[in-house]
Amino acid sequence: MGYQVKEISTKPFDGQKPGTSGLRKRVKVFQQEHYTENFIQAIFDSIKADGATLVIGGDGRYFSPETVQTILKIGSANGVKKFIVGKDSILSTPAASNIIRKYKAYGGILLTASHNPGGPNNDFGIKYNIYQLTKTIQKYKVIEADPVDLSVIGKTKYGPTEVQIIDSVADYVELLQDIFDFQLIKDFLQNNAGSFRILFDGLHGVTGPYARAILVDTLGLPEASIQNCVALPDFGGGHPDPNLTYAHSLVEVVEEKNIQFGAASDGDGDRNMIYGKGAFVTPSDSVAIIADWAHVIPYFKKGGVKGLARSMPTSKAIDLVAQKKGLEYFEVPTGWKFFGNLMDAGRLSICGEESFGTGSDHIREKDGIWAIMAWLNIIAAANKESPNELIGIKELLKKHYAVYGRSFFSRYDYEEVSSEGANKLVALLDGAITSSSLANKTYKSKSTNQDFTIASVTNFSYTDPIDGSVSKNQGQVVLFDDGSRVVFRLSGTGSAGATVRLYVERYVGPEAGEKVLAGDTAEGLKGLIEVALEISNLKEFLGRDEPTVIT
């Protein structure tokens, strides 16, 4: 049977340039006539769509079901042989990556704006990078057919294209069971049910169904071990970003009910936060501890650890682990694609970024649930080694600092600030790099009376060891003569205004002793943060006395 392909005239829209996380705009922008269709047609113009199998997933945010139908219309008209779609248009980013590998699909289209809020007045996103074609598009093709029922698992036809609706969770759970020692974890949790409780907060994002399948259905934990695990189009009106500010629903319950292990993930499931009673784990420390304990995880027992890596703003904690274990390690720009190149070349196994992204080469994406399960595997193994002492988050941190020292680390986010002010801040720092005007200059913190002498100011650049590509202007780095550093980065992952991120790191060696190493992060960084704000004139340029988020 033949199917009529209609060509619909259109014209380019300005600004359809994806960032590192795809195209993100307000929902109302995507709802403009032809806007979403243009971007999707550009995707199919950029790939070999004819005869291809493609995966469609996402975090289930507002406008997802409609967009899936649009992808089916345009994809079928462009010759796609088969679509594999998560039930109800839900498929976490890590799960989609696994499906692409498992079913040998050509690629995937993900409908997510990650940790940004959802709903009719908030953000939507499509992950696929095809900017050049969006600037010249003149038409798109569609096949008119009845909408596909995304709630029914099974196979159906959309015009000439096969559409398979799959269980969003099953394949991913199977993957994790091959990576981690589920029996060890289950035995530990059941044997310590009264003294070691768990709480996972899905923040009403995509990972809720995955957490239920793993923690409740597979590991046998009670229903009270999960909260906010129903995926909602507007994330329940919240901000699905797993940090101390936006995951307060987790932090409050963990502290109030004395819960030993808390965790949260973001909208599309690729980020995570680990938090226990009085014990917040920075993402920098988290990936370092996972790397240090990788030998207890079956996946790494079998395949070994090839190398470690972190994004440039992330603290150097993982570098110390690599040095001690004799492993190759890398400092890359922000953006998971840089890790992906190293993974594809067989030179990287575990990596992370300070923005709560942690992962390994089991897939080519960061993976929030994977990181949480890695921690549970490590805790279960640590307790097996120390049967007379209950080892939790605090104890693991204490043991790690005693061996490697501690990188006191914090990030200040100034969201939706004036682009003009943000650019002035960057220009000031770039000017200091060109003129060397800050070199050897000493600043004194007024509150702590500490002196900080600048050793260098640079703009981070990276030459990829795999493909030789060069990435410049990746962030201004102010390095002090005691090894402390502050990093400034201008980010554009939101849909309105600019975001300036300030990263502050101060290393203290293990010889400082337990009391100093266990000190409060804010107190340990207070003087350095004051100096960073003074050097950059940040408050003046951005018109903000306080950051939007502190992590």
Side-chain angles (χ1 to χ4, degrees), residues 94-319:
S97 182
N98 176 50
I99 293 296
I100 291 167
R101 284 189 175 188
K102 183 171 182 176
Y103 293 94
K104 297 180 172 58
Y106 181 86
I109 301 173
L110 297 179
L111 309 179
T112 176
S114 188
H115 54 287
N116 290 7
N121 298 312
N122 285 306
D123 288 1
F124 188 72
I126 303 176
K127 292 180 77 169
Y128 222 105
N129 197 342
I130 35 74
Y131 178 47
Q132 292 302 320
L133 292 170
T134 69
K135 297 190 292 185
T136 58
I137 189 168
Q138 298 297 319
K139 61 186 179 182
Y140 60 86
K141 295 184 282 187
V142 299
I143 283 180
E144 296 292 350
D146 292 335
V148 173
D149 188 342
L150 302 176
S151 68
V152 178
I153 293 173
K155 295 180 180 179
T156 187
K157 297 289 284 188
Y158 189 94
T161 303
E162 180 182 323
V163 178
Q164 182 179 0
I165 308 299
I166 63 169
D167 184 307
S168 305
V169 175
D171 290 296
Y172 180 75
V173 174
E174 182 182 314
L175 171 70
L176 292 193
Q177 287 176 318
D178 287 339
I179 293 172
F180 300 109
D181 191 337
F182 269 57
Q183 191 59 54
L184 177 69
I185 297 168
K186 187 172 185 177
D187 289 346
F188 166 71
L189 294 176
Q190 289 184 345
N191 292 337
N192 295 276
S195 55
F196 193 92
R197 290 181 299 155
I198 286 179
L199 179 64
F200 174 85
D201 193 329
L203 301 178
H204 289 302
V206 73
T207 53
Y210 297 85
R212 177 181 295 280
I214 294 166
L215 298 177
V216 178
D217 299 341
T218 305
L219 294 177
L221 294 177
E223 187 74 20
S225 298
I226 60 175
Q227 67 178 23
N228 300 325
C229 280
V230 176
L232 298 175
D234 65 348
F235 308 114
H239 194 143
D241 195 355
N243 58 46
L244 294 175
T245 298
Y246 295 125
H248 58 85
S249 55
L250 172 73
V251 174
E252 289 166 2
V253 178
V254 165
E255 291 296 339
E256 179 186 338
K257 297 188 177 181
N258 195 29
I259 291 171
Q260 287 70 36
F261 185 92
S265 188
D266 69 330
D268 68 328
D270 61 1
R271 302 185 188 210
N272 75 95
M273 180 176 79
I274 306 296
Y275 185 94
K277 172 72 174 179
F280 167 62
V281 185
T282 70
S284 302
D285 283 345
S286 180
V287 70
I289 288 172
I290 291 172
D292 192 37
W293 283 83
H295 59 279
V296 305
I297 296 173
Y299 179 85
F300 298 114
K301 281 183 185 178
K302 181 180 178 180
V305 176
K306 304 177 187 74
L308 306 176
R310 62 174 173 85
S311 64
M312 179 274 288
T314 304
S315 92
K316 298 180 180 181
I318 197 172
D319 300 11

Side-chain angles (χ1 to χ4, degrees), residues 327-344:
L327 295 170
E328 186 177 27
Y329 61 99
F330 303 89
E331 178 185 44
V332 307
T334 298
W336 207 258
K337 64 181 180 180
F338 299 103
F339 295 132
N341 280 359
L342 294 165
M343 289 178 186
D344 292 345

Side-chain angles (χ1 to χ4, degrees), residues 44 47-55 74-84 103-107 141 157 160-162:
F44 291 117
I47 65 175
K48 297 176 182 177
D50 194 34
T53 295
L54 292 174
V55 175
I74 296 176
S76 182
N78 281 272
V80 173
K81 181 181 179 181
K82 181 179 181 179
F83 282 109
I84 301 174
Y103 293 94
K104 297 180 172 58
Y106 181 86
K141 295 184 282 187
K157 297 289 284 188
T161 303
E162 180 182 323

Side-chain angles (χ1 to χ4, degrees), residues 339-362:
F339 295 132
N341 280 359
L342 294 165
M343 289 178 186
D344 292 345
R347 294 175 67 178
L348 175 61
S349 292
I350 299 171
C351 54
E353 53 189 17
E354 47 65 41
S355 54
F356 295 85
T358 319
S360 84
D361 58 353
H362 68 292

